[in-house]
């Protein structure tokens, strides 16, 4: 997958196979380790989402419950609202479509974090600047996969030109608990879990809010 970085004019994104994810959080840990992130700063998060109810069957009640995981980072959106609201133009975009923080311009106002429906930008308390996933630009420049992709033991994550990922895996990107994808048109493709709920028909809840 790493060779995709050399394709001129391509815009990059992530593919997440929800059917393979077991919630181990290796992707999240690898990101923290690679970027030496301070406590509480997560560029990739793994949400545990569950719900369900009881179904009446004859004279008995049968449980009808579900649970699945969502691994999410910055989606390097087609229309990144973080760039729109940034008062200093610190939120910038490379030619490959990936969004990054120009720390020489950032004042740490957090407007980007509040505006992003995915909460991707994070304030680094050690620098006073915003920080976020840039799809491991340095690794990709060296022909390597992003840290999260390389670390996943079940190969639930891929990266590459978003057009190619959509052609290969489809266009689904609005799975609960994620927001309405039309807000930013994320460069994200999801292979949905069998019990996955659409973003606008969500009945479950995130069960690990303190972790994310």
């Amino acid at each position: 997958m790493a060779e995709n970085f050399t394709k001129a004019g391509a815009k990059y994104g992530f593919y997440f196979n929800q059917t393979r994810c077991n919630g181990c959080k290796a992707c999240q840990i690898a990101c923290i380790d690679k970027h030496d992130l301070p406590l509480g700063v997560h560029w990739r998060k793994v949400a545990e989402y569950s719900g369900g109810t009881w179904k009446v069957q004859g004279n008995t009640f049968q449980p009808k419950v579900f649970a699945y995981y969502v691994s999410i980072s910055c989606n390097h959106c087609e229309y990144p609202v973080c760039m729109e609201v940034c008062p200093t133009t610190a939120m910038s975009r490379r030619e490959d479509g990936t969004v990054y923080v120009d720390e020489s311009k950032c004042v740490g106002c957090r407007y980007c974090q509040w505006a992003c429906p995915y909460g991707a930008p994070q304030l680094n308390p050690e620098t006073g600047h915003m920080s976020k996933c840039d799809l491991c630009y340095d690794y990709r420049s060296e022909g390597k996969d992003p840290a999260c992709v390389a670390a996943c033991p079940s190969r639930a994550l891929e990266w590459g030109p978003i057009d190619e990922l959509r052609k290969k895996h489809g266009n689904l990107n609005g799975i609960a608990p994620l927001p309405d994808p039309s807000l930013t048109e994320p460069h994200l493709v999801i292979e949905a879990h069998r019990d996955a709920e659409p973003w606008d028909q969500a009945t479950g809840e995130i069960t690990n809010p303190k972790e994310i």
Side-chain angles (χ1 to χ4, degrees):
M1 288 181 290
E3 64 271 14
N4 288 332
F5 179 78
T6 62
K7 295 191 176 182
K11 292 184 178 180
Y12 289 83
F14 285 108
Y15 162 71
F16 171 55
N17 190 328
Q18 204 168 49
T19 68
R20 294 180 179 179
C21 182
N22 60 16
C24 73
K25 300 181 177 66
C27 56
Q28 180 176 313
I29 295 169
C31 179
I32 293 171
D33 183 61
K34 189 265 180 182
H35 298 285
D36 195 23
L37 300 179
L39 183 66
V41 176
H42 300 120
W43 291 1
R44 179 169 285 280
K45 310 168 188 176
V46 179
E48 300 172 4
Y49 185 77
S50 64
T53 184
W54 293 89
K55 180 181 179 181
V56 179
Q57 189 169 358
N59 295 321
T60 63
F61 287 88
Q62 298 292 332
K64 188 177 180 181
V65 298
F66 63 87
Y68 57 82
Y69 302 97
V70 181
S71 177
I72 193 73
S73 69
C74 174
N75 295 304
H76 306 285
C77 303
E78 188 67 22
Y79 301 106
V81 293
C82 60
M83 288 179 61
E84 292 182 17
V85 302
C86 180
T88 65
T89 69
M91 281 292 170
S92 306
R93 179 155 51 187
R94 294 189 172 94
E95 291 183 359
D96 64 5
T98 57
V99 181
Y100 72 101
V101 183
D102 184 342
E103 289 199 47
S104 68
K105 298 179 180 178
C106 182
V107 295
C109 67
R110 303 182 77 165
Y111 288 173
C112 56
Q113 182 177 5
W114 298 330
C116 175
Y118 300 94
Q122 305 265 305
L123 179 66
N124 186 325
E126 296 179 356
T127 65
H129 298 151
M130 303 308 296
S131 64
K132 61 180 289 298
C133 160
D134 67 352
L135 223 159
C136 282
Y137 180 77
D138 54 348
Y139 273 15
R140 293 185 290 124
S141 299
E142 299 170 359
K144 301 177 183 178
D145 288 326
C148 58
V149 174
C152 180
S154 58
R155 296 296 178 259
L157 289 171
E158 293 181 21
W159 72 281
I162 190 60
D163 289 343
E164 292 185 11
L165 292 176
R166 287 170 177 160
K167 184 177 181 180
K168 182 179 178 182
H169 300 292
N171 297 300
L172 185 64
N173 56 13
I175 294 300
L178 302 183
D180 179 357
S182 69
L183 295 171
T184 61
E185 295 190 15
H187 288 180
L188 173 68
V189 176
I190 298 174
E191 183 79 22
H193 186 275
R194 64 184 181 184
D195 296 323
E197 294 186 321
W199 71 270
D200 57 350
Q201 298 177 33
T203 63
E205 62 180 17
I206 295 174
T207 57
N208 63 332
K210 292 184 178 181
E211 291 184 16
I212 62 172

